[in-house]
Amino acid sequence: MLTYRILGPIEVQAEGEPVEINGTFQRTLLAALLVNHDRLVLTDSLIGELWEHNPPRNAENALQAHISRLRRRLRSVDPDETAPRFLSMPSGYRLCLNDDTFDADIFTHALLDVRANTALSPYEMITKLRDALTLWRGPTFGGNLGGFICQAAAVRYKEYRAAALERLFEAELKIGRHNEIVAELSELVESESLNERLCQQLMVALYRGGRQRDALAAYQRMRNRLMDELGVEPSPVLQKCQMAILAHDPALQPRPVPAHTNS
């Protein structure tokens, strides 16, 4: 059984030991097949992913050679695997995870579970989301890798991570942990510079901690970034939050939540 990791530098592990996948072509090919695992990836799409607008002569043969090399490499570190890992079809290739694990799947399933399970308490939601977010070791694939397939996947997983963070801090605020999350939120707002939802959550956390001036300063920094980078004002939601802070709106304070139990 293998473990694939793309939420950070792309990695493969066999029984907890790292498996070296040599060469940019091999890593890009693996990444493109992983993010579409259990689905057919067309040959032309994979050729474009590896070589963009400059494919070699006999590109289909070159792609097939890379598939064979990757298949042999994975087989060499997991010789007991009986089910086929790669399926070759006339129009493309398919990677089958079988019993292998994939960090991006674990993460997205956790997020979808939190979204779907409305009976979860804020405490349970926090535990599930924090566990899932520990899977992230850096930017997807470790940064720029591949062509359209990999880049589109990187954008998608970044959006999933942002959604998980927003839900996490919503739950943290709901149970009154505003002081505990200020440092974490401040760092995220700086790195995720145009995420207005995280900025709003930071403003509320600061305000609840008696730091109205800092909350308004966070709003102003976000406004400056939006104006500088996009030429737009903050969203009506963020502007409303600023006005609520200025007015000391009681609605900004947390509502009582039942104490957490282990039952």
Side-chain angles (χ1 to χ4, degrees):
M1 186 175 76
L2 300 179
T3 297
Y4 300 102
R5 305 172 75 192
I6 66 166
L7 303 181
I10 187 166
E11 292 181 356
V12 181
Q13 294 180 345
E15 303 298 329
E17 295 297 321
V19 176
E20 187 68 30
I21 305 296
N22 294 315
T24 301
F25 283 161
Q26 292 283 289
R27 290 194 296 274
T28 300
L29 177 60
L30 177 59
L33 291 169
L34 270 173
V35 298
N36 290 284
H37 71 83
D38 296 328
R39 295 192 297 271
L40 178 71
V41 186
L42 297 178
T43 296
D44 287 347
S45 297
L46 289 172
I47 289 172
E49 193 73 7
L50 296 183
W51 293 288
E52 296 186 358
H53 305 298
N54 298 295
R57 297 177 66 180
N58 300 319
E60 290 189 13
N61 291 340
L63 173 62
Q64 186 178 39
H66 279 297
I67 291 281
S68 297
R69 194 173 302 127
L70 185 58
R71 179 190 285 117
R72 288 195 302 271
R73 179 60 180 138
L74 298 181
R75 182 73 174 176
S76 71
V77 297
D78 189 25
D80 297 328
E81 177 65 38
T82 56
R85 186 167 273 120
F86 292 90
L87 297 181
S88 301
M89 303 179 188
S91 57
Y93 298 90
R94 177 179 168 188
L95 174 67
C96 304
L97 290 190
N98 304 323
D99 293 327
D100 298 334
T101 59
F102 181 31
D103 64 350
D105 271 4
I106 296 170
F107 176 77
T108 52
H109 289 163
L111 175 59
L112 293 174
D113 181 58
V114 167
R115 283 176 169 172
N117 193 346
T118 57
L120 284 178
S121 72
Y123 300 92
E124 292 169 322
M125 190 180 299
I126 288 166
T127 298
K128 286 180 176 288
L129 289 173
R130 285 205 177 275
D131 285 348
L133 286 162
T134 62
L135 294 169
W136 284 82
R137 299 165 290 114
T140 310
F141 310 123
N144 189 30
L145 179 71
F148 176 79
I149 294 174
C150 289
Q151 290 167 18
V155 170
R156 182 169 70 251
Y157 289 123
K158 184 177 181 180
E159 290 174 350
Y160 288 160
R161 179 174 178 267
L165 288 166
E166 291 166 12
R167 283 182 176 265
L168 168 65
F169 292 116
E170 179 183 351
E172 297 275 20
L173 287 169
K174 188 172 290 187
I175 62 172
R177 291 182 181 167
H178 40 271
N179 289 325
E180 291 87 342
I181 62 175
V182 163
E184 193 176 1
L185 266 173
S186 297
E187 183 177 347
L188 284 166
V189 169
E190 289 302 315
S191 60
E192 311 283 338
S193 60
L194 297 182
N195 188 313
E196 292 185 73
R197 178 61 178 144
L198 291 179
C199 181
Q200 179 190 5
Q201 291 169 329
L202 173 60
M203 290 165 64
V204 172
L206 288 166
Y207 176 78
R208 288 182 181 176
R211 300 169 59 182
Q212 181 187 29
R213 181 177 296 179
D214 291 337
L216 295 172
Y219 172 85
Q220 191 59 48
R221 287 194 297 273
M222 176 58 71
R223 181 180 184 275
N224 292 342
R225 290 194 200 104
L226 289 167
M227 293 297 294
D228 289 344
E229 297 185 33
L230 302 178
V232 298
E233 291 283 351
S235 66
V237 171
L238 199 61
Q239 292 184 43
K240 184 177 178 180
C241 182
Q242 181 213 25
M243 297 304 295
I245 289 171
L246 287 168
H248 297 282
D249 190 335
L252 291 171
Q253 297 303 329
R255 299 176 181 177
V257 174
H260 179 50
T261 65
N262 295 319
S263 59

